[in-house]
Amino acid sequence: MGRLSVAFALFCGLIAGIAASFAEDRSIVLATTTATQESGLLDYLLPIFRDKTGIEVTVIARRADEVLDGPRRGEADVVLMHARPQEEKFVADGFGVKRFDVMYNDYVLIAPKSDPAAVKGKDIVTALKAIEAKGAPFVTRGDRSGTHAAELALWIVAGIDIAAAKGAWYREAGQGMASALEAARAANAYVLSDRGSWISFRDRGDLDIVVEGDRRLLNQYGVTLVNPAKFPNVKKDLAQTFIDWLTSPEGQGAIAAFKIDGQQLFFPNSDRSGG
């Protein structure tokens, strides 16, 4: 009887171990940007995905210039970010399998309501030229984030070498978007923000949107499977299930349904054409 009890205990332990392993297998790691995480979108989407599929998603959020560091070492299963050139290079270098468009939001130029550079309603290039010419206070994130990279690219499009042109008027926050917006509010300065962060920012003071809708302010997001041929530990099937759901009518509908104060933050645009 004792032997049977021992055997039964071992059998139960084996079953428990198999069940635990199965539970672990029903989870994936998603590498993404801090802006995506801080928007609240993933807190909204991932429980919906988990309830439908039983797959848990662990999120690792980093600055845009650091997001791909972990996936390049096989430390994630899937990537969701908004830096297309880096995403495409990730795939071209063999670290990712294929990139799909998922959604977009946009950047907006925020300013004091007095608008000292008189840029309201202008396009973003005209606005940046006027700000630089007048030396109007401008707050940059200065933290190598995706928003910071987008801002630097826009100065280039405007024909301005910001490294050479910047002076006391160009102020570095060196932190996240909320801190940059707060610095702009305190200094009555211009600042480039993603729309979601602006919508979430409560203490606006005299700040308001002065430039929006310019196609150069589009902020496209993509999703990419980390290459399982390069990293055998990648949970290919589970990660692909996440990608398929995110780009499906159901996932796209969930993205569109996410709102703050009644305002939609992200606009789904997946056609599964890949990139």
Side-chain angles (χ1 to χ4, degrees):
M1 195 68 175
R3 290 181 180 177
L4 287 175
S5 298
V6 171
F8 181 73
L10 290 173
F11 174 74
C12 289
L14 178 62
I15 294 300
I18 292 172
S21 296
F22 180 76
E24 289 176 7
D25 285 341
R26 301 296 292 175
S27 67
I28 58 173
V29 175
L30 170 67
T32 191
T33 62
T34 54
T36 313
Q37 174 76 330
E38 291 171 0
S39 71
L41 175 68
L42 296 178
D43 291 335
Y44 175 80
L45 287 182
L46 298 185
I48 299 173
F49 174 69
R50 180 194 60 219
D51 290 347
K52 181 176 180 62
T53 65
I55 300 172
E56 292 280 355
V57 180
T58 298
V59 177
I60 297 178
R62 293 177 175 167
R63 287 186 331 221
D65 66 322
E66 297 177 335
V67 170
L68 294 173
D69 291 350
R72 286 193 183 98
R73 296 189 295 266
E75 296 172 359
D77 301 294
V78 63
V79 176
L80 175 66
M81 63 184 298
H82 52 106
R84 186 164 192 144
Q86 291 95 312
E87 297 165 56
E88 292 178 338
K89 187 175 189 305
F90 181 74
V91 172
D93 290 345
F95 293 104
V97 175
K98 191 172 185 179
R99 178 196 174 280
F100 294 98
D101 284 343
V102 174
M103 61 191 181
Y104 68 90
N105 63 4
D106 61 346
Y107 294 111
V108 290
L109 185 66
I110 306 299
K113 291 177 181 177
S114 60
D115 190 15
V119 301
K120 187 173 180 61
K122 309 290 186 182
D123 64 82
I124 189 62
V125 166
T126 300
L128 291 178
K129 287 180 177 178
I131 291 168
E132 188 271 335
K134 295 188 177 182
F138 184 98
V139 171
T140 176
R141 282 185 59 166
D143 62 353
R144 296 187 297 169
S145 63
T147 301
H148 182 215
E151 178 223 311
L152 295 178
L154 288 169
W155 287 113
I156 292 172
V157 172
I160 297 169
D161 180 354
I162 195 60
K166 67 182 180 181
W169 61 275
Y170 189 77
R171 309 170 185 185
E172 290 193 5
Q175 299 181 56
M177 197 66 247
S179 295
L181 284 165
E182 174 57 30
R185 185 198 64 76
N188 287 317
Y190 292 85
V191 62
L192 185 74
S193 172
D194 66 281
R195 189 180 294 271
S197 294
W198 169 247
I199 291 172
S200 302
F201 187 60
R202 300 297 180 183
D203 189 13
R204 297 180 178 180
D206 287 331
L207 296 179
D208 204 354
I209 295 175
V210 288
V211 177
E212 61 183 326
D214 189 317
R215 61 179 178 78
R216 288 165 292 198
L217 295 174
L218 181 70
N219 185 27
Q220 178 69 50
Y221 284 73
V223 64
T224 306
L225 176 69
V226 178
N227 192 351
K230 192 174 188 68
F231 303 108
N233 59 297
V234 169
K235 296 174 183 175
K236 175 185 176 182
D237 293 340
L238 299 182
Q240 189 62 54
T241 298
F242 176 70
I243 292 172
D244 291 344
W245 180 81
L246 201 61
T247 57
S248 72
E250 181 180 349
Q252 295 278 282
I255 290 169
F258 176 63
K259 297 179 181 180
I260 294 179
D261 294 338
Q263 298 185 65
Q264 185 174 339
L265 269 66
F266 297 91
F267 297 84
N269 67 340
S270 173
D271 59 7
R272 293 306 307 264
S273 62

